[in-house]
Amino acid sequence: MKTGLVLEGGAMRGMYTAGVLDVFLDNDIKVDCIVGVSAGALFGPNFLSKQKGRVIRYNKRFNGVKNYMGLAPMLREGSVVNTRMAYGEIPQRLDRFDDETFIASDVPFYAVVTNVASGQPEYIRINSVFEQMDVLRASASMPFVSKPVEINGEKYLDGGVSDSIPFKWMQQQGAEKIVVVLTRDASYRKSPMSHVSLELYGLKYPAIAKRLENRHNDYNTSLELLRQKELAGDVFVIRPSVPITLEQLEKDPEKLQETYDIGQKDAAAIMPKLKEYLA
């Protein structure tokens, strides 16, 4: 495998990734394998379906719709996002995802999920978005505000819990060149979570709570290793040029557009260097 693409998550910070990938489409950037985490898993398939603008379009249109995100779906179904609408009505009917083109791309796409029982990451290939929507939903099911998603008798949550930036996994797949799209700027470092909330969460999901307790160390260590590889020329990293300050469940269409625009601007600025790296 020559080129791998790694897409970090980050909820609505994924609008940055959407902007980057749309510039990739404009420049006919080709990759041989993609792995996405959480929002990266949800929005990344639109790159292979060649649906430029779809991610920013449907999020601006639907995020502010009553009962789509927030307290209402949380109380009704135990998830902060309306599952039926987000994973059914929107991609199937209201802003249809082109699953046929995604499949025809023949580029392996993997979503990272975290096994609730073990706390370990799993990397599941998505052969059809429509047929494997539960895998994508699991990858983006954030702890505390989402119920685990059951797949083949196992329960899963957000892939970012166990492997937020899976560039090492991509290396293990044999990628000679790796492009990583982050959703945090260069100054960001993750802080520890509240011990009180973790203790309560651990009563029900002990393996996930243990992962979350150490997540800041795992994430920051991963960032440091990624930086070393970037300086050595082993990976190509695209990150926000300014801090992204969106709420996780941002509803303001102007703020969503602003983040998307930053992604487009940053990607356009580094495109000559990216093409040189991929050559």
Side-chain angles (χ1 to χ4, degrees):
M1 184 213 309
K2 184 177 180 181
T3 305
L5 175 61
V6 178
L7 306 175
E8 185 184 16
M12 285 302 117
R13 292 197 310 277
M15 293 305 103
Y16 178 84
T17 302
V20 170
L21 294 182
D22 281 352
V23 173
F24 279 20
L25 286 173
D26 287 341
N27 286 270
D28 197 30
I29 297 298
K30 306 291 187 185
V31 297
D32 302 302
C33 182
I34 304 175
V35 60
V37 184
S38 195
L42 289 183
F43 302 149
N46 294 273
F47 174 62
L48 296 183
S49 68
K50 300 182 180 180
Q51 288 177 281
K52 180 184 175 182
R54 179 177 179 270
V55 173
I56 184 63
R57 181 178 66 237
Y58 79 74
N59 279 280
K60 287 174 64 176
R61 178 182 175 189
F62 296 112
N63 281 16
V65 171
K66 185 179 180 181
N67 297 331
Y68 177 51
M69 294 194 308
L71 184 60
M74 186 71 189
L75 294 175
R76 185 175 60 249
E77 58 182 272
S79 174
V80 76
V81 175
N82 184 322
T83 299
R84 176 179 55 82
M85 187 173 179
Y87 299 99
E89 292 181 3
I90 291 175
Q92 292 274 4
R93 183 173 60 86
L94 298 176
D95 197 324
R96 187 171 176 82
F97 176 76
D98 188 349
D99 200 34
E100 293 78 13
T101 298
F102 172 85
I103 295 169
S105 74
D106 204 31
V107 175
F109 187 99
Y110 292 84
V112 185
V113 295
T114 302
N115 188 297
V116 169
S118 68
Q120 295 300 310
E122 296 183 20
Y123 309 84
I124 301 178
R125 180 168 177 175
I126 305 297
N127 297 300
S128 163
V129 166
F130 286 161
E131 292 180 7
Q132 295 172 277
M133 192 65 77
D134 279 349
V135 177
L136 299 179
R137 182 162 66 91
S139 185
S141 290
M142 298 180 289
F144 299 101
V145 294
S146 304
K147 293 190 300 185
V149 178
E150 186 169 326
I151 303 169
N152 298 326
E154 296 280 348
K155 292 182 178 180
Y156 297 94
L157 281 170
D158 194 327
V161 172
S162 55
D163 195 356
S164 296
I165 315 171
F167 65 95
K168 288 183 286 186
W169 177 86
M170 184 62 80
Q171 284 182 315
Q172 293 167 0
Q173 308 316 301
E176 298 172 20
K177 297 186 177 182
I178 299 176
V179 179
V180 180
V181 181
L182 302 179
T183 58
R184 295 286 195 181
D185 67 284
S187 68
Y188 178 78
R189 294 298 181 271
K190 191 174 289 294
S191 300
M193 293 188 65
S194 163
H195 283 291
V196 174
S197 59
L198 287 174
E199 287 176 5
L200 292 174
Y201 197 67
L203 295 175
K204 193 169 186 179
Y205 305 116
I208 298 296
K210 185 174 182 180
R211 272 287 188 181
L212 291 173
E213 183 178 13
N214 294 303
R215 190 185 177 203
H216 64 291
N217 289 323
D218 293 340
Y219 184 86
N220 295 337
T221 299
S222 185
L223 276 183
E224 180 57 33
L225 178 59
L226 182 64
R227 180 61 176 161
Q228 292 173 11
K229 290 186 174 295
E230 180 184 15
L231 291 173
D234 296 332
V235 300
F236 191 97
V237 181
I238 303 171
R239 56 172 64 82
S241 54
V242 295
I244 302 298
T245 57
L246 286 182
E247 298 290 337
Q248 280 194 319
L249 301 177
E250 185 63 66
K251 298 180 181 181
D252 186 332
E254 292 185 4
K255 292 181 179 179
L256 294 171
Q257 184 69 51
E258 180 182 357
T259 300
Y260 173 84
D261 291 345
I262 293 171
Q264 288 215 304
K265 180 181 177 180
D266 288 352
I270 57 84
M271 188 54 59
K273 290 184 178 179
L274 175 62
K275 289 182 177 180
E276 182 181 350
Y277 171 78
L278 294 178

